[in-house]
Amino acid sequence: MGRILMQYLATKTDPVIASLIDSDLDELKLAAQKLFHDASMLGGRGFGTSFLKWMASFAAIYLLILDRTNWRTNMLTSLLVPYIFFSFPGSLFHFLRGEVGKWIAFIAVVLRLFFHRNFPDLLEIPGSMILLLTVAPDLFAQRFRNNWVGVAIDLFIGCYLLQEHIRATGGFRNSFTQKHGISNTLGILLLIVYPVWSLVIH
């Protein structure tokens, strides 16, 4: 009797499970079609801009780290902080502008105020960057970041740093031949590629 009941229940639930799986697959197909449609609407130019923005942001972070460790140049590399502010990808920007960034900024300020002798110099610029991200007015964080003003500021900073780097190394050719020259020069060139591309596209 128990085995017959189990077989009866199995035959009743198999079509239900099959219909649920079919409806899930239909939803996945619709989601894939929508993703493909949105990607085609965005086009290669939008993908290129987003990719170059990520690359430029990480190049700026790389140059900041390099300057604090072994590059030690006389250039005004603190300009990379506003560059990162204007070129940081939106998802990371809003993540750090939220509660996480506020906690990091709070801890940085407390450490700087009460433990300033033990506060490492390496954390000065990152702390300033987090503070800038969290306390910047909406005029800068929303309006200027998302239009040509932020892109123009990034272009100015990139061009200034490139000419200062070329001057410090003794010429464009030397900027590629000196120690760490290629990585530094390519990093600075990436700072220029994104804003130029963005201004041409938009």
Side-chain angles (χ1 to χ4, degrees), residues 20-118:
L20 286 174
I21 291 174
D22 288 340
S23 68
D24 290 343
L25 288 174
D26 289 339
E27 288 178 14
L28 283 174
K29 286 178 192 174
L30 287 173
Q33 288 173 351
K34 188 175 178 188
L35 176 66
F36 179 74
H37 178 264
D38 291 345
S40 64
M41 292 288 288
L42 181 64
R45 294 182 301 176
F47 173 76
T49 304
S50 177
F51 177 73
L52 287 174
K53 181 183 258 194
W54 279 88
M55 291 296 292
S57 296
F58 286 118
I61 292 168
Y62 164 74
L63 290 171
L64 265 180
I65 293 170
L66 200 64
D67 183 54
R68 295 294 161 198
T69 53
N70 61 0
W71 190 12
R72 297 292 179 188
T73 181
N74 291 328
M75 292 185 340
L76 192 58
T77 52
S78 57
L79 283 174
L80 290 169
V81 171
Y83 185 95
I84 294 169
F85 176 83
F86 285 112
S87 69
F88 217 45
S91 56
L92 291 176
F93 181 83
H94 293 299
F95 176 73
L96 288 175
R97 193 164 163 80
E99 286 297 315
V100 173
K102 289 176 184 175
W103 274 102
I104 295 172
F106 174 74
I107 292 169
V109 168
V110 167
L111 289 175
R112 186 74 178 95
L113 281 175
F114 299 110
F115 304 101
H116 55 89
R117 290 190 182 127
N118 298 328

Side-chain angles (χ1 to χ4, degrees), residues 157-172:
I157 291 171
C159 291
Y160 171 77
L161 290 176
L162 181 64
Q163 68 94 19
E164 286 293 311
H165 176 61
I166 290 172
R167 182 183 299 170
T169 54
F172 189 73

